[in-house]
Amino acid sequence: MAFARVFAFVLLVLTAPVLARADAAAPEAFIHALADRALGLVTDKAADMEAKRARFDELLSDTFDMEGIGRFLLGRYWRLATPEEREAYLKAFKESIVYTYTARFDEYAGQKLVVDGSREDGQFTLVGSRIVDPNGNADVKVEWRLIRQGDDYRVVDVVIEGVSMSVTQRQEYASVIQSNGGEVKALIKALNERMARLKSSGS
Amino acid sequence: MGLCRMRRSFTAAVFATGLLAGCASQTELEPGAVYDPIEPANRMVFAVNDTVDTFVLQPTAYMYKEAVPDPVRDMVRSFLEWLTTPVVLANNLFQGDWSAAGTTASRFVANAPLFGFVDNATGLGLEHREEDFGQTLAVYGSGDGPYIVLPLLGPSNVRDTVGLVVDYFLDPINYVGNGNPLERDGDRTRVQLARRAAGAVDFRARNFAAINDLKQTSVDYYARVRTIYKQRRDALINNGTPPAGAGGRSNTSEEFDEYVPGGQPAESAGPKSPSS
């Protein structure tokens, strides 16, 4: 029943500093660099929220396969969507990610990310890591699913204590579309409405 | 009397598990989807639970979190966890997991001098791991069965509901003193209720911001909780390691089989059409 606790940490994952290892192999080094960059952003007291959102947006574009993830989340409904719907959906999806994650930046409390190693899984590389809490709470296991892109990697999924963020979103989106007669439009509308709600509640 | 009822519940458990095995192949679900044939009823119970959360549990947890100092809350949590030892140990043994049973027993002894209020065991490398009869059934090959939202208790499925009932009867607290475990009144019932309520408040307080966030940021809170429940249970059943024979694959690998990276033509990306 501890699944909810796990969700708090997805936000912290991106914000955790790193215990650097000189001999780190490529996928491990990629995660180290990602965490370092995210931490620099989270702990930057000088930047205002607007600037942080812009920089986080950039970080996502550089390190996550946002287009592939967006497509994956729609699953079989991607094919049914018109080009305009796809564009509107990808925009709404990315905006909601940026907004929800940056809103939680101030919850960071000194956690560190320890990278344990990596293994191959088909076209993907899985990197295992742990969030170590300085306040003595149990470690939280975080697994990263990466895909090769040229000489570099892109994140496809983050799995926290067995709960995959991409699979969770995909199931949620599918439910919204299914209960609205298979219309992708309904999901875009729901995403935009939620966005407006979050913005008006002001965080 | 108590024994007779206990035997009956075991029979029910075995029977239900047989049904589950039969159910497993009956529906074709997409990878990662949750079998939820009674979704409308589940959504209603879920809405009621959510209302109870908003008006009762959340305010109580908030006061508890704000009024009670951290170290005291840690003690409450350790004690509640310590009380679950007999049930966890029984399930370690049912699963034939001797090393986990050893850890559970050692934890119990290490924390016994202070009646579980202080958790020294974790510091000694004896980490707590949740086990229950639902997981035991899964280890013996039972499928999840249909998803069920239980009043007040929240997300579950047929297998885990059977597990809850069996765990209830496995708990020695139910056999202390006179009477049988199903007795309506009496101190034992009060102790059980107090313990469940304390457990709920403790859980809600520890995950206060996370659960609020889960609610606020979802477009379909019900569907989000449903998939998280399934994934989390699968992870607990596998004890955090991929199933045997899975190679380097993880729990969710199957879902990604059709993944098409960004930058490739969108038309070739479309997974199977919905008519299939």
Side-chain angles (χ1 to χ4, degrees):
Chain A
M1 285 301 292
F3 62 78
R5 172 177 46 142
V6 150
F7 238 81
F9 286 100
V10 68
L11 307 156
L12 294 173
V13 171
L14 292 169
T15 66
V18 148
L19 299 181
R21 255 183 18 204
D23 60 337
E28 285 92 338
F30 172 82
I31 295 299
H32 278 151
L34 166 57
D36 275 344
R37 195 171 152 192
L39 183 77
L41 177 53
V42 170
T43 53
D44 185 353
K45 298 278 179 251
D48 66 357
M49 213 47 182
E50 208 51 50
K52 283 189 179 181
R53 283 198 192 111
R55 279 169 59 191
F56 188 64
D57 192 304
E58 211 175 288
L59 173 67
L60 282 179
S61 307
D62 291 348
T63 53
F64 281 66
D65 180 14
M66 292 305 277
E67 194 192 329
I69 295 171
R71 206 184 276 170
F72 173 79
L73 299 190
L74 270 201
R76 58 198 172 100
Y77 298 105
W78 179 262
R79 272 217 161 159
L80 304 177
T82 64
E84 294 76 37
E85 282 173 346
R86 287 175 185 174
E87 200 182 318
Y89 153 75
L90 284 174
K91 185 169 164 285
F93 151 68
K94 192 173 184 189
E95 192 187 20
S96 75
I97 297 261
V98 170
Y99 205 89
T100 19
Y101 281 61
T102 45
R104 301 286 299 263
F105 274 9
D106 54 354
E107 283 170 29
Y108 175 72
Q111 288 87 348
K112 295 190 190 320
L113 189 76
V114 180
V115 177
D116 291 323
S118 65
R119 62 183 202 271
E120 299 297 315
D121 175 21
Q123 60 175 331
F124 304 101
T125 304
L126 303 175
V127 179
S129 68
R130 277 170 296 137
I131 297 174
V132 181
D133 190 317
N135 308 313
N137 292 315
D139 289 1
V140 176
K141 266 192 212 160
V142 181
E143 191 172 70
W144 306 78
R145 183 178 291 272
L146 307 181
I147 196 157
R148 260 214 114 84
Q149 204 163 86
D151 296 337
D152 205 3
Y153 290 93
R154 289 284 180 276
V155 180
V156 166
D157 189 20
V158 185
V159 182
I160 296 148
E161 291 287 346
V163 179
S164 150
M165 297 303 113
S166 292
V167 171
T168 300
Q169 286 290 62
R170 180 174 153 109
Q171 293 297 328
E172 188 180 359
Y173 288 0
S175 174
V176 173
I177 297 172
Q178 274 158 23
S179 53
N180 285 285
E183 293 278 352
V184 175
K185 271 201 294 287
L187 174 67
I188 299 166
K189 187 161 160 273
L191 285 173
N192 286 332
E193 278 170 6
R194 178 188 64 175
M195 215 37 233
R197 212 166 58 231
L198 286 173
K199 276 180 178 162
S200 68
S201 70
S203 47
Chain B
M1 188 62 192
L3 207 73
C4 171
R5 280 175 195 276
M6 196 164 130
R7 201 174 301 142
R8 215 180 299 158
S9 77
F10 266 106
T11 316
V14 170
F15 178 66
T17 317
L19 285 179
L20 291 182
C23 288
S25 57
Q26 133 198 340
T27 38
E28 296 233 350
L29 291 173
E30 285 181 41
V34 180
Y35 180 48
D36 188 4
I38 54 162
E39 182 171 336
N42 278 338
R43 278 191 186 264
M44 270 169 67
V45 179
F46 188 83
V48 173
N49 287 350
D50 188 30
T51 309
V52 173
D53 178 62
T54 305
F55 290 102
V56 184
L57 190 54
Q58 192 181 328
T60 314
Y62 183 77
M63 282 191 293
Y64 174 67
K65 186 167 82 79
E66 295 300 308
V68 180
D70 266 3
V72 179
R73 281 189 281 135
D74 286 347
M75 288 167 93
V76 170
R77 185 189 171 185
S78 298
F79 179 64
L80 289 169
E81 194 186 286
W82 190 70
L83 287 181
T84 66
T85 306
V87 172
V88 174
L89 181 61
N91 283 297
N92 290 148
L93 294 173
F94 289 156
Q95 294 173 26
D97 192 342
W98 303 106
S99 92
T103 306
T104 306
S106 310
R107 273 187 68 85
F108 186 79
V109 173
N111 291 341
L114 292 161
F115 299 103
F117 280 108
V118 177
D119 179 11
N120 292 316
T122 304
L124 298 172
L126 301 166
E127 286 200 18
H128 172 72
R129 209 170 68 198
E130 285 174 60
E131 288 296 346
D132 52 65
F133 201 74
Q135 293 187 50
T136 300
L137 289 174
V139 167
Y140 283 98
S142 162
D144 300 1
Y147 181 70
I148 304 175
V149 181
L150 299 172
L152 297 180
L153 297 174
S156 190
N157 53 44
V158 170
R159 180 198 64 211
D160 292 341
T161 304
V162 170
L164 276 178
V165 174
V166 173
D167 285 334
Y168 181 81
F169 285 99
L170 283 175
D171 198 333
I173 286 186
N174 287 316
Y175 300 94
V176 178
N178 300 317
N180 71 64
L182 294 176
E183 192 181 17
R184 189 82 50 96
D185 309 307
D187 293 340
R188 252 189 339 241
T189 312
R190 269 184 290 252
V191 167
Q192 281 286 31
L193 285 176
R195 184 178 150 193
R196 300 267 162 186
V201 173
D202 169 66
F203 177 78
R204 188 64 171 91
R206 270 187 286 124
N207 302 293
F208 197 79
I211 295 175
N212 287 356
D213 197 69
L214 210 62
K215 270 195 211 194
Q216 279 164 13
T217 63
S218 55
V219 279
D220 188 340
Y221 184 38
Y222 172 86
R224 185 181 276 194
V225 170
R226 182 175 61 187
T227 179
I228 291 175
Y229 181 76
K230 181 189 162 54
Q231 293 181 56
R232 185 64 195 145
R233 288 299 291 175
D234 288 350
L236 283 173
I237 289 159
N238 297 323
N239 295 330
T241 49
R249 313 213 84 196
S250 78
N251 273 349
T252 50
S253 283
E254 202 190 335
E255 281 93 317
F256 288 92
D257 282 348
E258 58 185 27
Y259 187 88
V260 179
Q264 294 191 15
E267 287 318 314
S268 68
K272 283 162 275 161
S273 77
S275 58
S276 65

